Amino acid sequence: MTCLACGSAATRHWATARDVEYLSTPESFDYLRCADCDALSIDPVPRGRLGEIYPDTYYSFSPGDLSFAERVKQALDRRTFRKLFAGIAGDRLSALDVGGGAGWLLTQAKSVEPRLAVTQVVDIDGSAEAAARTAGHEFFLGRIEDFETDRRFDVILMLNLIEHVDDPVAVLAKVRGLLKPGGRVLVKTPNHDSLDARMFRHHSWGGLHAPRHWVVFTPESFRRAAGKAALRVDRLSLTQGAPFWAVSMLEFLSRKGLVTIRRDRPMCDHPLFGPLLAGFGAIDMIRGRFARTSQMFVELSAT
């Protein structure tokens, strides 16, 4: 097994994890740590099994009512978008959301940026297309690797996406080719160099999101991957990893027989999930001032 991020064969076992969130499969998956770049890679890679490992109950397919913590997150997203677009010149801007589902992030962006005139979603979920188009977004059904267009974009969003692919450098290179001169790529992805990753490493740490996260970076390994795709890291900041804490804690409580996780009611729908999100989000906001947390925002531009 070679590293999915850099291609090195110098990998060693780091953890074994299973799907504790959706119970989509009873199998366990190994995660191998690369001695060269420090990224984690899943083994085996479940290619061709997307319909199985992304069930109908997957959170981005059926978002449902927003909890208080999720409404706070949306407010933070809008603040991030406001700052991102403020640094881009032009009277008529365009944005692409890779893995954007029904386009709710682009809708949030449009609410704070009146210059945003063209919005495009690329996603593998066909059930999201109607909602995305109703919201005013163009939609391509398929992988970003297969998306072809003459248009170039001022902003490309890849939030919680790059960890789901088996060739992240190729995806980053594809995105670079879709970027306008002076444009920006915004990435959000897990960081396995964190307290919760170390605590729950051998108990299906939430940041592995097994078996859906195929590559998990550190800030250093992500910088290396971006550089190979001719992208420059303009800003990298660590942010709260409340979803990973919440999943890990619910797995712990389930293992102790204190809560029940069912296939028809995954972890994100459990009544404790929202309170855990809020609590650990607040804790990580404080911890993040002096320690590494388990998610990162990265702003990129073409070299």
Side-chain angles (χ1 to χ4, degrees):
M1 176 66 187
T2 58
C3 174
L4 297 176
C6 75
S8 171
T11 59
R12 61 189 182 277
H13 184 267
W14 186 79
T16 298
R18 57 189 178 85
D19 187 0
V20 298
E21 298 175 69
Y22 294 90
L23 309 180
S24 64
T25 173
E27 294 174 57
S28 294
F29 293 80
D30 291 327
Y31 282 83
L32 308 181
R33 187 173 186 173
C34 179
D36 287 339
C37 79
D38 207 27
L40 304 179
S41 299
I42 194 171
D43 181 33
V45 181
R47 300 180 185 91
R49 298 176 60 183
L50 300 186
E52 176 188 0
I53 65 176
Y54 292 92
D56 292 342
T57 53
Y58 194 60
Y59 77 98
S60 66
F61 296 166
S62 52
D65 295 330
L66 294 177
S67 68
F68 172 75
E70 288 163 332
R71 288 195 294 271
V72 170
K73 178 186 175 299
Q74 283 199 355
L76 293 174
D77 286 340
R78 289 193 294 272
R79 185 178 70 176
T80 298
F81 295 150
R82 192 178 291 112
K83 292 180 180 179
L84 179 65
F85 282 97
I88 298 176
D91 298 326
R92 181 180 170 85
L93 303 183
S94 57
L96 162 67
D97 189 357
V98 184
W104 60 274
L105 280 173
L106 290 174
T107 299
Q108 296 289 316
K110 290 177 77 171
S111 73
V112 297
E113 180 47 77
R115 297 176 298 159
L116 185 51
V118 177
T119 49
Q120 170 78 57
V121 174
V122 172
D123 202 282
I124 62 171
D125 177 22
S127 66
E129 181 170 2
R133 293 192 182 279
T134 298
H137 312 304
E138 298 180 27
F139 191 94
F140 172 79
L141 178 61
R143 307 182 311 155
I144 185 61
E145 296 94 320
D146 303 319
F147 177 59
E148 299 295 338
T149 180
D150 293 331
R151 179 177 289 148
R152 296 297 177 261
F153 298 90
D154 296 287
V155 169
I156 299 178
L157 304 178
M158 297 178 66
L159 305 186
N160 307 307
L161 182 282
I162 197 67
E163 62 273 14
H164 291 262
V165 304
D166 64 356
D167 192 344
V169 172
V171 170
L172 289 168
K174 172 73 176 190
V175 162
R176 184 196 184 282
L178 294 170
L179 198 62
K180 277 185 184 179
R184 294 290 185 272
V185 181
L186 182 65
V187 173
K188 186 180 183 183
T189 194
N191 162 44
H192 73 80
D193 182 17
S194 63
L195 176 63
D196 47 316
R198 289 187 285 273
M199 286 179 61
F200 299 103
R201 171 179 169 182
H202 298 296
H203 294 288
S204 300
W205 171 54
L208 297 177
H209 196 45
R212 289 162 290 271
H213 285 180
W214 296 355
V215 185
V216 183
F217 293 96
T218 61
E220 294 76 17
S221 58
F222 185 83
R223 286 180 183 274
R224 177 171 171 169
K228 292 178 70 174
L231 286 166
R232 177 177 57 245
V233 174
D234 296 320
R235 185 170 63 95
L236 188 153
S237 60
L238 294 172
T239 186
Q240 56 82 20
F244 307 150
W245 280 104
V247 167
S248 299
M249 286 304 300
L250 281 173
E251 189 279 334
F252 171 79
L253 295 173
S254 175
R255 197 163 15 99
K256 297 298 182 181
L258 299 175
V259 301
T260 300
I261 306 302
R262 306 192 310 260
R263 187 180 176 91
D264 63 334
R265 191 190 67 179
M267 279 190 179
C268 59
D269 292 333
H270 193 281
L272 286 179
F273 192 76
L276 287 171
L277 276 182
F280 281 110
I283 291 170
D284 262 8
M285 294 292 281
I286 298 170
R287 282 194 338 104
R289 299 174 183 175
F290 55 85
R292 283 193 165 189
T293 48
S294 53
Q295 288 197 94
M296 50 184 164
F297 272 117
V298 190
E299 194 173 316
L300 304 160
S301 58
T303 58

